[in-house]
């Protein structure tokens, strides 16, 4: 039986930290809710492509990290949001594009394999 934590999963988990930070920044600078959701969906699509069998784990990690980064940015005033309500809405609802994108990415990779 293969180990659960492989080198590629650890690498992809580190990539998830970067994409989560990117999505959180877009939540803060996005003038509307569409841009952060698009960036979140595209990053999750890539993560699902990278890990077709364990993409759900990366989606959970991305969702949790976006919420953590949002609260850190908001608490310590690292960035000022363009629209505070839209920023909170998009940051805390990123689990929809994260899980959907991860599923679609793994589905597309399995199709092309």
């Amino acid at each position: 039986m293969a180990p659960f934590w492989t080198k590629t999963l650890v690498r992809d988990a580190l990539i998830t930290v970067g994409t989560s930070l990117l999505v959180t920044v877009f939540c803060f600078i996005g003038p509307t809710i569409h841009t952060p959701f698009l960036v979140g969906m595209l990053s999750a699509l890539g993560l699902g492509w990278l890990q077709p069998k364990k993409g759900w784990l990366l989606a959970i990690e991305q969702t949790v990290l976006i919420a953590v980064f949002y609260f850190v940015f908001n608490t310590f005033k690292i960035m000022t949001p363009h629209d505070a309500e839209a920023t909170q809405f998009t940051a805390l609802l990123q689990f929809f594009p994260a899980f959907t994108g991860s599923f679609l990415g793994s589905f597309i990779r399995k199709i092309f394999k």
Side-chain angles (χ1 to χ4, degrees), residues 5-22:
W5 288 98
T6 61
K7 288 182 183 180
T8 57
L9 183 60
V10 172
R11 179 201 64 194
D12 296 340
L14 292 174
I15 291 172
T16 306
V17 173
T19 59
S20 301
L21 185 62
L22 181 73

Side-chain angles (χ1 to χ4, degrees), residues 62-82:
Q62 186 176 25
T63 303
V64 169
L65 283 175
I66 289 171
V68 167
F69 287 145
Y70 166 74
F71 285 116
V72 168
F73 283 12
N74 202 27
T75 303
F76 297 114
K77 304 295 183 209
I78 295 173
M79 294 181 72
T80 56
H82 187 270

Side-chain angles (χ1 to χ4, degrees), residues 17-37:
V17 173
T19 59
S20 301
L21 185 62
L22 181 73
V23 171
T24 307
V25 168
F26 270 94
C27 287
F28 273 83
I29 65 172
T32 64
I33 63 169
H34 302 95
T35 307
F37 282 142

Side-chain angles (χ1 to χ4, degrees), residues 42-58:
L42 292 176
S43 68
L45 190 83
L47 294 173
W49 179 273
L50 289 174
Q51 283 291 329
K53 294 186 188 238
K54 297 176 187 169
W56 58 270
L57 183 66
L58 297 178

Side-chain angles (χ1 to χ4, degrees), residues 18 34 45 83 102 104:
H34 302 95
L45 190 83
D83 182 6
S102 179
L104 286 175

